[in-house]
Amino acid sequence: MENDKLVIRGIEFKSRLWVGTGKYKDFKQTKEAIEASGTDVVTVAVRRVNIFDRNSENLLDYIDPKKYKILPNTAGCYTVEEALRYARLAREAGISDMVKLEVIGDERTLFPDVCGLIKATEILAKEGFIVFPYTNDDPVTAKRLEDAGAAAVMPLGAPIGSGLGIRNPYNIKIILETVKVPVIVDAGVGTASDATIAMELGCDAVLINTGIACAKDPVKMASAMKHAVIAGRLAYLAGRIPKKLYASASSPLEGMLI
Amino acid sequence: MRYSSLHPHGDAGLSIFMKIRLNGEDYEIPGELTLEELLESLSINPGRVAVEVNLQVIKRSQFGTFRIKEGDIVEIVNFVGGGQDGER
């Protein structure tokens, strides 16, 4: 696994598990879960500073940007203009050109607005951003995003926060065959086996937030996800056996008593 | 209306207060402060925020020279916990 590094636009990612920092009980738990996950990339949101309560703690007091790659998102943005605004602010607040681009099309499902997403990807890529768009599990959209300059594509396994797992593994497989950029499953992973399935399909990484943060024991789940991603990646690299209808004995027949 | 605690020489009477919109709220500052001065007065570490004035992102290297003017709409943002989606 040492030589199996994920590199995107020259940036080396040690972990194939990426972790969100929302929905935790407090910053202490966030930090513990992130440490247990073994990740080196965390997503964050961009929001107004609380001007009138300067004693409130900052996420970056707990998550050291020297230790972790900070991947800001444009979560909560419903238009191209909003997403561009947040991305530009994020770049200025942070230390890199990376942005997890979200242009949401529907409040109930949080499915992406793919037209807006492609447009925003194109604009941000031209501005020098390293764009990671959160998209549908649609191979055609994935290709359009790649053509628009996306550094990777991040198809959903299932709706954000749903924990429904990889609902359409066949589409994820087709996306993997369609685009050359890395494919990172974003959203829907509910438990360890979901993460493993994504990695066994050949995905380059998995991004998880709710599946870890809202588990009964987030720190334990973070550790489970870490192992699940490693297991799935190893199984993918090892190459699974073909599925067969009938048995195939694994013990020799030679030397039996009759 | 909130008032800033910025009274350069402790004498509000001599200062010319200026109204701005800061993170969605009306705010008064004593004269045309630079962004650096504004952040300092708010005890905000400039290394961890991004600032937008009238929808234009201001580069951190310009914080020391960029002056805020009457009626400016200022947004100061930072990173908070988030993964996918998020609340509006």
Side-chain angles (χ1 to χ4, degrees), chain A residues 125-148:
Chain A
K126 276 189 188 137
E127 289 180 18
F129 280 87
I130 299 169
V131 188
F132 297 91
Y134 157 70
T135 180
N136 278 318
D137 54 3
D138 170 30
V140 178
T141 305
K143 183 74 182 100
R144 294 277 182 275
L145 289 167
E146 180 179 52
D147 293 345

Side-chain angles (χ1 to χ4, degrees), chain A residues 43 45 48 61 73 75 85 186, chain B residues 48 52 75 80 82-85:
Chain A
T43 65
R48 279 174 171 162
D61 294 332
N73 64 30
R85 189 179 178 195
D186 178 5
Chain B
R48 285 190 177 174
E52 192 191 73
E75 294 285 353
V80 301
Q84 301 110 341
D85 105 80

